[in-house]
Amino acid sequence: MRHLARPLLGVVLGAVLLGGCGGGGEGGPSPASPASSSAPASASASAPVSASASASPSVSAPVSASSGATMSNEPATAECRVGDLRFHLSPGEGAAGSTYYRLRMTNTSSAPCASGGYGGVSLVTEPGGAPIGAPADRVQPGRRTPFTLRPGAAAEATLRETDAGNYPRSRCHPTAARGLRVYPPDETHSTFVPLATTACSAGGVHLLQLSPYAPVH
C-alpha cells in the first residue's frame, strides 16, 4: 500500500502544480490591462486638440460677416454739384480758325463726389445774362466714363470755339460775350467763367463744341 500511495501522491502534486501554472496563464492579460486603459487616455488627450482646430473657422466666420456688412452699409457717393466745384479755363490755343481751351473743374468740398460725361456750356453777355446763340455741341459720343472726384482732385473737358469771323455777319449777327455759363455733368445749376470773345447770336450758328470730362492724373 505504501508503494501505491507514493505514485498517487505524485500525481496529485503534479495536478496541483499544473493548476498553478494554468492560473498564471489566465492572469497574463491582466497586467496588460493598464495598457488597454491607456488607449482611451490618448484618445481623450487628442480630442481637445481636434476640437480647438475645428473652432478656428468659427472664429473667422464673424470677421467676414462683419466686413461684408460694413461694405454694404457704406453710403453711396453723391453727385458733384456746382457748390462743390470750382471751374477754370486755360489760355486758348488757336488752330485752323478755332480756339481750343481746357475747361477744368476741381472738387473744393471736403467729401468725394461722383461725376463723368458731358456738361453744358453757353456764351453769355454777363454773369447773370441770357445765353447767346446755340449751346455747345457734344463731341466724341460714347466716351462717357463715370469717375469719383476726391477733395482737391480735378477733371477736364476740351472746349473748342470756332471764330465768329468765319461766318458772314448777316448769318452770325456777332455779339460781344463776356464769359461762359457752365453746367457740370447731370446738373441743372450753372456757374460763370470769364471769357471775352465774339459770339454769334443767331441760333443756327454753332460756335462751341465740348468733349466729355475725364479725370486729371
Side-chain angles (χ1 to χ4, degrees):
M1 293 295 292
R2 290 183 180 177
H3 294 290
L4 291 174
R6 288 183 180 179
L8 195 58
L9 180 59
V11 171
V12 174
L13 289 174
V16 172
L17 290 175
L18 287 174
C21 291
E26 293 177 357
S30 59
S33 60
S36 62
S37 64
S38 65
S42 61
S44 62
S46 61
V49 175
S50 61
S52 62
S54 63
S56 57
S58 64
V59 173
S60 62
V63 175
S64 59
S66 171
S67 61
T70 302
M71 292 178 63
S72 63
N73 290 335
E74 288 182 356
T77 302
E79 294 285 337
C80 296
R81 300 305 180 196
V82 168
D84 303 324
L85 304 169
R86 182 183 71 248
F87 285 85
H88 172 75
L89 196 66
S90 70
E93 298 180 1
S98 298
T99 305
Y100 292 84
Y101 303 92
R102 293 189 307 277
L103 182 58
R104 173 175 290 203
M105 64 176 183
T106 303
N107 183 1
T108 57
S109 73
S110 59
C113 61
S115 189
Y118 294 92
V121 175
S122 298
L123 290 163
V124 293
T125 56
E126 56 186 2
I132 306 172
D137 296 325
R138 295 177 174 182
V139 297
Q140 303 174 5
R143 290 189 56 186
R144 186 186 190 283
T145 303
F147 55 83
T148 298
L149 278 184
R150 298 191 177 280
E156 286 184 347
T158 299
L159 176 67
R160 176 187 176 184
E161 180 193 11
T162 302
D163 295 342
N166 294 346
Y167 298 90
R169 294 181 62 87
S170 59
R171 182 183 174 189
C172 172
H173 303 294
T175 304
R178 294 181 56 191
L180 303 170
R181 175 170 291 177
V182 178
Y183 294 84
D186 303 319
E187 170 67 294
T188 57
H189 296 83
S190 63
T191 187
F192 176 79
V193 177
L195 175 65
T197 187
T198 300
C200 290
S201 59
V205 178
H206 293 241
L207 298 181
L208 303 178
Q209 291 183 328
L210 186 68
S211 73
Y213 282 91
V216 176
H217 299 291

